[in-house]
Amino acid sequence: MIIRIFRATIHEGKEAEFREFFLHTALPLVKSQPGLVSATPGLPRPESPREFCMVMVWKDVESLKAFAGEDWQHPHIHPDEAELVADRALHHYDLAQLITT
Protein backbone atom coordinates (compact mmCIF):
# COMPACT_ATOMS: atom_id res chain seq x y z
CA MET A 1 0.00 0.00 0.00
CA ILE A 2 1.07 3.56 -0.69
CA ILE A 3 0.71 6.50 1.70
CA ARG A 4 0.22 9.78 -0.19
CA ILE A 5 0.52 13.02 1.80
CA PHE A 6 -0.65 16.19 0.08
CA ARG A 7 0.00 19.57 1.73
CA ALA A 8 -1.23 22.93 0.46
CA THR A 9 -0.46 26.44 1.63
CA ILE A 10 -3.32 28.78 0.77
CA HIS A 11 -3.11 32.40 -0.32
CA GLU A 12 -3.86 34.75 2.57
CA GLY A 13 -7.57 35.57 2.75
CA LYS A 14 -8.57 32.46 0.75
CA GLU A 15 -8.62 30.01 3.67
CA ALA A 16 -12.42 29.82 4.05
CA GLU A 17 -12.92 29.38 0.31
CA PHE A 18 -10.32 26.61 0.17
CA ARG A 19 -11.79 24.88 3.25
CA GLU A 20 -15.16 24.73 1.47
CA PHE A 21 -13.55 23.29 -1.67
CA PHE A 22 -11.35 20.90 0.32
CA LEU A 23 -14.14 19.36 2.41
CA HIS A 24 -17.01 19.46 -0.09
CA THR A 25 -15.29 18.89 -3.46
CA ALA A 26 -11.79 17.43 -3.07
CA LEU A 27 -12.50 15.00 -0.23
CA PRO A 28 -15.64 13.45 -1.81
CA LEU A 29 -13.80 13.20 -5.16
CA VAL A 30 -10.85 11.37 -3.60
CA LYS A 31 -13.09 9.12 -1.46
CA SER A 32 -14.98 7.98 -4.57
CA GLN A 33 -11.85 6.57 -6.24
CA PRO A 34 -11.40 2.81 -6.67
CA GLY A 35 -8.34 1.59 -4.81
CA LEU A 36 -8.46 4.25 -2.09
CA VAL A 37 -8.18 2.62 1.33
CA SER A 38 -8.55 5.79 3.43
CA ALA A 39 -8.43 9.58 3.23
CA THR A 40 -7.96 11.83 6.24
CA PRO A 41 -8.19 15.62 5.79
CA GLY A 42 -6.12 17.92 7.99
CA LEU A 43 -7.28 21.46 8.72
CA PRO A 44 -5.06 24.42 9.72
CA ARG A 45 -3.85 24.94 13.26
CA PRO A 46 -3.13 28.33 14.87
CA GLU A 47 0.62 27.98 14.29
CA SER A 48 0.08 27.27 10.55
CA PRO A 49 -3.24 28.98 9.71
CA ARG A 50 -2.89 28.63 5.92
CA GLU A 51 -1.81 24.97 5.69
CA PHE A 52 -4.11 22.07 4.85
CA CYS A 53 -3.19 18.45 4.25
CA MET A 54 -4.72 15.18 3.20
CA VAL A 55 -3.25 11.81 4.15
CA MET A 56 -4.38 9.05 1.81
CA VAL A 57 -3.67 5.35 1.71
CA TRP A 58 -3.92 3.70 -1.70
CA LYS A 59 -4.13 -0.02 -2.41
CA ASP A 60 -1.30 0.12 -4.99
CA VAL A 61 0.48 2.32 -7.51
CA GLU A 62 -1.91 1.22 -10.26
CA SER A 63 -4.89 2.61 -8.31
CA LEU A 64 -3.01 5.83 -7.69
CA LYS A 65 -2.17 6.12 -11.40
CA ALA A 66 -5.83 5.57 -12.30
CA PHE A 67 -6.67 8.61 -10.13
CA ALA A 68 -3.73 10.94 -10.78
CA GLY A 69 -2.39 9.72 -14.13
CA GLU A 70 1.06 8.58 -15.19
CA ASP A 71 2.52 11.69 -13.52
CA TRP A 72 1.18 10.49 -10.14
CA GLN A 73 4.28 11.65 -8.24
CA HIS A 74 3.31 15.30 -8.73
CA PRO A 75 0.30 17.11 -7.19
CA HIS A 76 -3.01 16.50 -8.91
CA ILE A 77 -4.57 19.96 -9.28
CA HIS A 78 -8.33 20.49 -9.50
CA PRO A 79 -9.27 23.60 -11.54
CA ASP A 80 -11.34 24.98 -8.63
CA GLU A 81 -8.26 25.14 -6.38
CA ALA A 82 -5.73 26.63 -8.80
CA GLU A 83 -6.35 30.26 -7.77
CA LEU A 84 -6.48 29.47 -4.04
CA VAL A 85 -3.22 27.60 -3.51
CA ALA A 86 0.09 29.40 -3.08
CA ASP A 87 2.24 26.26 -2.67
CA ARG A 88 1.82 22.47 -2.79
CA ALA A 89 3.88 19.53 -1.61
CA LEU A 90 3.37 15.84 -2.20
CA HIS A 91 5.13 12.86 -0.63
CA HIS A 92 4.73 9.10 -1.02
CA TYR A 93 5.68 6.27 1.34
CA ASP A 94 5.24 2.52 1.51
CA LEU A 95 2.92 1.52 4.33
CA ALA A 96 4.79 -0.36 7.04
CA GLN A 97 3.23 -3.74 7.69
CA LEU A 98 3.66 -4.49 11.38
CA ILE A 99 4.02 -8.13 12.36
CA THR A 100 2.61 -9.17 15.72
CA THR A 101 3.46 -12.44 17.38
Side-chain angles (χ1 to χ4, degrees), residues 32-69:
S32 73
Q33 301 304 309
L36 180 76
V37 176
S38 67
T40 304
L43 299 177
R45 293 194 31 83
E47 62 273 13
S48 55
R50 296 175 30 230
E51 286 187 19
F52 291 73
C53 78
M54 189 176 306
V55 179
M56 297 158 271
V57 177
W58 291 85
K59 177 180 151 189
D60 51 31
V61 171
E62 290 73 28
S63 299
L64 192 46
K65 284 182 181 179
F67 166 65

mmCIF file of all heavy atoms in Angstrom, residues 32-69:
data_model
loop_
_atom_site.group_PDB
_atom_site.id
_atom_site.type_symbol
_atom_site.label_atom_id
_atom_site.label_comp_id
_atom_site.label_asym_id
_atom_site.label_seq_id
_atom_site.Cartn_x
_atom_site.Cartn_y
_atom_site.Cartn_z
ATOM 1 N N SER A 32 -14.230 8.760 -3.590
ATOM 2 C CA SER A 32 -14.981 7.977 -4.573
ATOM 3 C C SER A 32 -14.082 7.140 -5.488
ATOM 4 O O SER A 32 -14.587 6.380 -6.314
ATOM 5 C CB SER A 32 -15.851 8.907 -5.430
ATOM 6 O OG SER A 32 -15.044 9.651 -6.340
ATOM 7 N N GLN A 33 -12.772 7.235 -5.323
ATOM 8 C CA GLN A 33 -11.848 6.566 -6.237
ATOM 9 C C GLN A 33 -11.649 5.097 -5.887
ATOM 10 O O GLN A 33 -11.411 4.754 -4.727
ATOM 11 C CB GLN A 33 -10.490 7.271 -6.231
ATOM 12 C CG GLN A 33 -10.544 8.719 -6.637
ATOM 13 C CD GLN A 33 -11.169 8.928 -7.998
ATOM 14 O OE1 GLN A 33 -10.789 8.291 -8.975
ATOM 15 N NE2 GLN A 33 -12.144 9.826 -8.058
ATOM 16 N N PRO A 34 -11.720 4.222 -6.902
ATOM 17 C CA PRO A 34 -11.396 2.814 -6.669
ATOM 18 C C PRO A 34 -9.938 2.683 -6.228
ATOM 19 O O PRO A 34 -9.068 3.379 -6.732
ATOM 20 C CB PRO A 34 -11.593 2.161 -8.044
ATOM 21 C CG PRO A 34 -12.409 3.139 -8.832
ATOM 22 C CD PRO A 34 -12.106 4.500 -8.276
ATOM 23 N N GLY A 35 -9.701 1.821 -5.278
ATOM 24 C CA GLY A 35 -8.343 1.589 -4.805
ATOM 25 C C GLY A 35 -7.933 2.463 -3.641
ATOM 26 O O GLY A 35 -6.870 2.254 -3.055
ATOM 27 N N LEU A 36 -8.763 3.437 -3.264
ATOM 28 C CA LEU A 36 -8.464 4.254 -2.091
ATOM 29 C C LEU A 36 -8.846 3.458 -0.850
ATOM 30 O O LEU A 36 -9.975 2.965 -0.738
ATOM 31 C CB LEU A 36 -9.238 5.570 -2.124
ATOM 32 C CG LEU A 36 -8.954 6.470 -0.921
ATOM 33 C CD1 LEU A 36 -7.597 7.151 -1.080
ATOM 34 C CD2 LEU A 36 -10.041 7.498 -0.736
ATOM 35 N N VAL A 37 -7.924 3.330 0.083
ATOM 36 C CA VAL A 37 -8.179 2.620 1.334
ATOM 37 C C VAL A 37 -8.706 3.587 2.388
ATOM 38 O O VAL A 37 -9.653 3.291 3.101
ATOM 39 C CB VAL A 37 -6.890 1.916 1.825
ATOM 40 C CG1 VAL A 37 -7.099 1.260 3.180
ATOM 41 C CG2 VAL A 37 -6.409 0.905 0.787
ATOM 42 N N SER A 38 -8.085 4.780 2.475
ATOM 43 C CA SER A 38 -8.546 5.795 3.431
ATOM 44 C C SER A 38 -8.070 7.168 2.992
ATOM 45 O O SER A 38 -7.093 7.299 2.259
ATOM 46 C CB SER A 38 -8.031 5.496 4.844
ATOM 47 O OG SER A 38 -6.621 5.638 4.891
ATOM 48 N N ALA A 39 -8.802 8.179 3.459
ATOM 49 C CA ALA A 39 -8.427 9.580 3.227
ATOM 50 C C ALA A 39 -8.764 10.358 4.488
ATOM 51 O O ALA A 39 -9.898 10.300 4.978
ATOM 52 C CB ALA A 39 -9.173 10.164 2.032
ATOM 53 N N THR A 40 -7.776 11.057 5.016
ATOM 54 C CA THR A 40 -7.956 11.832 6.236
ATOM 55 C C THR A 40 -7.550 13.273 5.964
ATOM 56 O O THR A 40 -6.377 13.544 5.694
ATOM 57 C CB THR A 40 -7.093 11.255 7.381
ATOM 58 O OG1 THR A 40 -7.418 9.873 7.548
ATOM 59 C CG2 THR A 40 -7.323 12.015 8.672
ATOM 60 N N PRO A 41 -8.520 14.212 6.015
ATOM 61 C CA PRO A 41 -8.188 15.615 5.788
ATOM 62 C C PRO A 41 -7.632 16.263 7.052
ATOM 63 O O PRO A 41 -8.055 15.937 8.164
ATOM 64 C CB PRO A 41 -9.534 16.243 5.409
ATOM 65 C CG PRO A 41 -10.539 15.385 6.116
ATOM 66 C CD PRO A 41 -9.953 13.999 6.165
ATOM 67 N N GLY A 42 -6.678 17.154 6.875
ATOM 68 C CA GLY A 42 -6.116 17.916 7.988
ATOM 69 C C GLY A 42 -6.372 19.398 7.772
ATOM 70 O O GLY A 42 -6.071 19.936 6.711
ATOM 71 N N LEU A 43 -6.957 20.031 8.787
ATOM 72 C CA LEU A 43 -7.277 21.464 8.717
ATOM 73 C C LEU A 43 -6.199 22.277 9.433
ATOM 74 O O LEU A 43 -5.480 21.755 10.287
ATOM 75 C CB LEU A 43 -8.648 21.712 9.334
ATOM 76 C CG LEU A 43 -9.809 20.992 8.644
ATOM 77 C CD1 LEU A 43 -11.108 21.242 9.387
ATOM 78 C CD2 LEU A 43 -9.924 21.411 7.182
ATOM 79 N N PRO A 44 -6.108 23.570 9.127
ATOM 80 C CA PRO A 44 -5.062 24.417 9.722
ATOM 81 C C PRO A 44 -5.137 24.482 11.242
ATOM 82 O O PRO A 44 -6.209 24.358 11.834
ATOM 83 C CB PRO A 44 -5.347 25.797 9.130
ATOM 84 C CG PRO A 44 -6.117 25.546 7.899
ATOM 85 C CD PRO A 44 -6.930 24.320 8.176
ATOM 86 N N ARG A 45 -3.977 24.690 11.826
ATOM 87 C CA ARG A 45 -3.854 24.939 13.259
ATOM 88 C C ARG A 45 -3.390 26.379 13.435
ATOM 89 O O ARG A 45 -2.906 26.993 12.488
ATOM 90 C CB ARG A 45 -2.846 23.965 13.865
ATOM 91 C CG ARG A 45 -3.338 22.513 13.824
ATOM 92 C CD ARG A 45 -2.546 21.587 14.701
ATOM 93 N NE ARG A 45 -1.984 22.187 15.910
ATOM 94 C CZ ARG A 45 -2.657 22.363 17.063
ATOM 95 N NH1 ARG A 45 -3.915 22.008 17.157
ATOM 96 N NH2 ARG A 45 -2.052 22.897 18.106
ATOM 97 N N PRO A 46 -3.513 26.930 14.647
ATOM 98 C CA PRO A 46 -3.126 28.326 14.868
ATOM 99 C C PRO A 46 -1.688 28.648 14.458
ATOM 100 O O PRO A 46 -1.413 29.736 13.954
ATOM 101 C CB PRO A 46 -3.326 28.514 16.378
ATOM 102 C CG PRO A 46 -4.390 27.526 16.737
ATOM 103 C CD PRO A 46 -4.137 26.333 15.841
ATOM 104 N N GLU A 47 -0.771 27.694 14.642
ATOM 105 C CA GLU A 47 0.623 27.978 14.293
ATOM 106 C C GLU A 47 0.892 27.881 12.783
ATOM 107 O O GLU A 47 1.960 28.284 12.323
ATOM 108 C CB GLU A 47 1.578 27.048 15.058
ATOM 109 C CG GLU A 47 1.425 25.583 14.760
ATOM 110 C CD GLU A 47 0.391 24.862 15.614
ATOM 111 O OE1 GLU A 47 -0.428 25.521 16.308
ATOM 112 O OE2 GLU A 47 0.386 23.617 15.588
ATOM 113 N N SER A 48 -0.052 27.348 12.018
ATOM 114 C CA SER A 48 0.080 27.268 10.553
ATOM 115 C C SER A 48 -1.305 27.491 9.934
ATOM 116 O O SER A 48 -1.891 26.582 9.351
ATOM 117 C CB SER A 48 0.669 25.925 10.136
ATOM 118 O OG SER A 48 -0.097 24.867 10.670
ATOM 119 N N PRO A 49 -1.835 28.708 10.050
ATOM 120 C CA PRO A 49 -3.235 28.978 9.712
ATOM 121 C C PRO A 49 -3.598 28.878 8.230
ATOM 122 O O PRO A 49 -4.784 28.917 7.895
ATOM 123 C CB PRO A 49 -3.444 30.403 10.224
ATOM 124 C CG PRO A 49 -2.088 31.022 10.180
ATOM 125 C CD PRO A 49 -1.145 29.904 10.522
ATOM 126 N N ARG A 50 -2.601 28.719 7.360
ATOM 127 C CA ARG A 50 -2.893 28.630 5.923
ATOM 128 C C ARG A 50 -2.540 27.270 5.331
ATOM 129 O O ARG A 50 -2.582 27.091 4.128
ATOM 130 C CB ARG A 50 -2.153 29.753 5.190
ATOM 131 C CG ARG A 50 -2.642 31.131 5.596
ATOM 132 C CD ARG A 50 -1.861 32.308 4.995
ATOM 133 N NE ARG A 50 -1.278 32.060 3.716
ATOM 134 C CZ ARG A 50 0.013 32.321 3.416
ATOM 135 N NH1 ARG A 50 0.821 32.840 4.305
ATOM 136 N NH2 ARG A 50 0.476 32.080 2.207
ATOM 137 N N GLU A 51 -2.214 26.287 6.184
ATOM 138 C CA GLU A 51 -1.811 24.967 5.692
ATOM 139 C C GLU A 51 -2.897 23.916 5.907
ATOM 140 O O GLU A 51 -3.425 23.770 7.000
ATOM 141 C CB GLU A 51 -0.544 24.489 6.396
ATOM 142 C CG GLU A 51 0.700 25.187 5.930
ATOM 143 C CD GLU A 51 1.953 24.574 6.515
ATOM 144 O OE1 GLU A 51 1.921 23.418 6.998
ATOM 145 O OE2 GLU A 51 2.976 25.267 6.494
ATOM 146 N N PHE A 52 -3.185 23.195 4.837
ATOM 147 C CA PHE A 52 -4.113 22.072 4.849
ATOM 148 C C PHE A 52 -3.341 20.842 4.392
ATOM 149 O O PHE A 52 -2.354 20.967 3.671
ATOM 150 C CB PHE A 52 -5.263 22.304 3.865
ATOM 151 C CG PHE A 52 -6.216 23.397 4.234
ATOM 152 C CD1 PHE A 52 -5.848 24.726 4.122
ATOM 153 C CD2 PHE A 52 -7.496 23.098 4.672
ATOM 154 C CE1 PHE A 52 -6.740 25.749 4.441
ATOM 155 C CE2 PHE A 52 -8.395 24.103 4.990
ATOM 156 C CZ PHE A 52 -8.019 25.425 4.873
ATOM 157 N N CYS A 53 -3.809 19.663 4.779
ATOM 158 C CA CYS A 53 -3.193 18.450 4.253
ATOM 159 C C CYS A 53 -4.243 17.367 4.095
ATOM 160 O O CYS A 53 -5.343 17.453 4.660
ATOM 161 C CB CYS A 53 -2.052 17.967 5.141
ATOM 162 S SG CYS A 53 -2.574 17.108 6.626
ATOM 163 N N MET A 54 -3.888 16.371 3.298
ATOM 164 C CA MET A 54 -4.716 15.182 3.200
ATOM 165 C C MET A 54 -3.768 13.984 3.187
ATOM 166 O O MET A 54 -2.824 13.942 2.397
ATOM 167 C CB MET A 54 -5.593 15.175 1.954
ATOM 168 C CG MET A 54 -6.600 14.035 1.985
ATOM 169 S SD MET A 54 -7.780 13.968 0.614
ATOM 170 C CE MET A 54 -8.503 15.588 0.641
ATOM 171 N N VAL A 55 -4.021 13.043 4.083
ATOM 172 C CA VAL A 55 -3.248 11.808 4.151
ATOM 173 C C VAL A 55 -4.128 10.706 3.573
ATOM 174 O O VAL A 55 -5.226 10.465 4.059
ATOM 175 C CB VAL A 55 -2.843 11.478 5.604
ATOM 176 C CG1 VAL A 55 -2.068 10.169 5.653
ATOM 177 C CG2 VAL A 55 -2.039 12.621 6.210
ATOM 178 N N MET A 56 -3.635 10.099 2.505
ATOM 179 C CA MET A 56 -4.383 9.053 1.814
ATOM 180 C C MET A 56 -3.587 7.757 1.844
ATOM 181 O O MET A 56 -2.359 7.781 1.826
ATOM 182 C CB MET A 56 -4.625 9.446 0.354
ATOM 183 C CG MET A 56 -5.483 10.690 0.188
ATOM 184 S SD MET A 56 -5.227 11.471 -1.431
ATOM 185 C CE MET A 56 -3.861 12.573 -1.028
ATOM 186 N N VAL A 57 -4.289 6.659 1.874
ATOM 187 C CA VAL A 57 -3.670 5.350 1.706
ATOM 188 C C VAL A 57 -4.326 4.713 0.483
ATOM 189 O O VAL A 57 -5.554 4.622 0.404
ATOM 190 C CB VAL A 57 -3.850 4.457 2.957
ATOM 191 C CG1 VAL A 57 -3.259 3.073 2.709
ATOM 192 C CG2 VAL A 57 -3.218 5.109 4.180
ATOM 193 N N TRP A 58 -3.476 4.319 -0.453
ATOM 194 C CA TRP A 58 -3.924 3.698 -1.700
ATOM 195 C C TRP A 58 -3.514 2.237 -1.719
ATOM 196 O O TRP A 58 -2.450 1.876 -1.223
ATOM 197 C CB TRP A 58 -3.317 4.432 -2.898
ATOM 198 C CG TRP A 58 -3.875 5.800 -3.069
ATOM 199 C CD1 TRP A 58 -3.451 6.948 -2.445
ATOM 200 C CD2 TRP A 58 -4.978 6.178 -3.867
ATOM 201 N NE1 TRP A 58 -4.227 8.005 -2.819
ATOM 202 C CE2 TRP A 58 -5.179 7.564 -3.699
ATOM 203 C CE3 TRP A 58 -5.824 5.482 -4.716
ATOM 204 C CZ2 TRP A 58 -6.181 8.265 -4.350
ATOM 205 C CZ3 TRP A 58 -6.834 6.185 -5.375
ATOM 206 C CH2 TRP A 58 -7.001 7.557 -5.182
ATOM 207 N N LYS A 59 -4.353 1.423 -2.323
ATOM 208 C CA LYS A 59 -4.125 -0.022 -2.414
ATOM 209 C C LYS A 59 -2.793 -0.328 -3.104
ATOM 210 O O LYS A 59 -2.029 -1.174 -2.652
ATOM 211 C CB LYS A 59 -5.284 -0.668 -3.173
ATOM 212 C CG LYS A 59 -5.162 -2.128 -3.398
ATOM 213 C CD LYS A 59 -6.381 -2.615 -4.168
ATOM 214 C CE LYS A 59 -6.003 -3.821 -5.000
ATOM 215 N NZ LYS A 59 -7.064 -4.206 -5.912
ATOM 216 N N ASP A 60 -2.522 0.374 -4.216
ATOM 217 C CA ASP A 60 -1.304 0.117 -4.988
ATOM 218 C C ASP A 60 -1.048 1.281 -5.933
ATOM 219 O O ASP A 60 -1.878 2.188 -6.064
ATOM 220 C CB ASP A 60 -1.417 -1.205 -5.761
ATOM 221 C CG ASP A 60 -2.688 -1.311 -6.587
ATOM 222 O OD1 ASP A 60 -3.204 -0.271 -7.076
ATOM 223 O OD2 ASP A 60 -3.187 -2.432 -6.753
ATOM 224 N N VAL A 61 0.098 1.243 -6.576
ATOM 225 C CA VAL A 61 0.479 2.315 -7.506
ATOM 226 C C VAL A 61 -0.489 2.366 -8.685
ATOM 227 O O VAL A 61 -0.815 3.455 -9.171
ATOM 228 C CB VAL A 61 1.941 2.144 -7.981
ATOM 229 C CG1 VAL A 61 2.271 3.118 -9.106
ATOM 230 C CG2 VAL A 61 2.901 2.342 -6.828
ATOM 231 N N GLU A 62 -0.981 1.234 -9.134
ATOM 232 C CA GLU A 62 -1.913 1.218 -10.261
ATOM 233 C C GLU A 62 -3.186 2.006 -9.938
ATOM 234 O O GLU A 62 -3.696 2.746 -10.779
ATOM 235 C CB GLU A 62 -2.249 -0.226 -10.666
ATOM 236 C CG GLU A 62 -1.098 -0.966 -11.303
ATOM 237 C CD GLU A 62 0.009 -1.375 -10.327
ATOM 238 O OE1 GLU A 62 -0.273 -1.578 -9.116
ATOM 239 O OE2 GLU A 62 1.167 -1.464 -10.769
ATOM 240 N N SER A 63 -3.705 1.847 -8.731
ATOM 241 C CA SER A 63 -4.894 2.606 -8.307
ATOM 242 C C SER A 63 -4.590 4.096 -8.260
ATOM 243 O O SER A 63 -5.411 4.921 -8.672
ATOM 244 C CB SER A 63 -5.364 2.145 -6.929
ATOM 245 O OG SER A 63 -5.713 0.794 -6.939
ATOM 246 N N LEU A 64 -3.421 4.437 -7.765
ATOM 247 C CA LEU A 64 -3.006 5.832 -7.687
ATOM 248 C C LEU A 64 -2.868 6.425 -9.086
ATOM 249 O O LEU A 64 -3.304 7.550 -9.348
ATOM 250 C CB LEU A 64 -1.700 5.927 -6.903
ATOM 251 C CG LEU A 64 -1.206 7.266 -6.445
ATOM 252 C CD1 LEU A 64 -2.289 8.118 -5.819
ATOM 253 C CD2 LEU A 64 -0.061 7.087 -5.476
ATOM 254 N N LYS A 65 -2.295 5.665 -10.009
ATOM 255 C CA LYS A 65 -2.167 6.123 -11.396
ATOM 256 C C LYS A 65 -3.536 6.312 -12.047
ATOM 257 O O LYS A 65 -3.722 7.234 -12.841
ATOM 258 C CB LYS A 65 -1.343 5.136 -12.216
ATOM 259 C CG LYS A 65 0.135 5.208 -11.968
ATOM 260 C CD LYS A 65 0.856 4.214 -12.882
ATOM 261 C CE LYS A 65 2.345 4.232 -12.656
ATOM 262 N NZ LYS A 65 3.022 3.239 -13.523
ATOM 263 N N ALA A 66 -4.485 5.440 -11.739
ATOM 264 C CA ALA A 66 -5.832 5.571 -12.301
ATOM 265 C C ALA A 66 -6.466 6.890 -11.865
ATOM 266 O O ALA A 66 -7.230 7.505 -12.608
ATOM 267 C CB ALA A 66 -6.697 4.385 -11.882
ATOM 268 N N PHE A 67 -6.151 7.338 -10.662
ATOM 269 C CA PHE A 67 -6.674 8.608 -10.135
ATOM 270 C C PHE A 67 -5.889 9.803 -10.657
ATOM 271 O O PHE A 67 -6.453 10.761 -11.173
ATOM 272 C CB PHE A 67 -6.637 8.592 -8.609
ATOM 273 C CG PHE A 67 -6.834 9.938 -7.967
ATOM 274 C CD1 PHE A 67 -8.028 10.623 -8.092
ATOM 275 C CD2 PHE A 67 -5.813 10.524 -7.225
ATOM 276 C CE1 PHE A 67 -8.210 11.870 -7.505
ATOM 277 C CE2 PHE A 67 -5.981 11.755 -6.635
ATOM 278 C CZ PHE A 67 -7.187 12.440 -6.775
ATOM 279 N N ALA A 68 -4.560 9.761 -10.529
ATOM 280 C CA ALA A 68 -3.728 10.937 -10.785
ATOM 281 C C ALA A 68 -3.022 10.926 -12.134
ATOM 282 O O ALA A 68 -2.425 11.925 -12.514
ATOM 283 C CB ALA A 68 -2.694 11.082 -9.660
ATOM 284 N N GLY A 69 -3.049 9.806 -12.835
ATOM 285 C CA GLY A 69 -2.390 9.724 -14.128
ATOM 286 C C GLY A 69 -0.960 9.217 -14.005
ATOM 287 O O GLY A 69 -0.465 8.940 -12.913
#
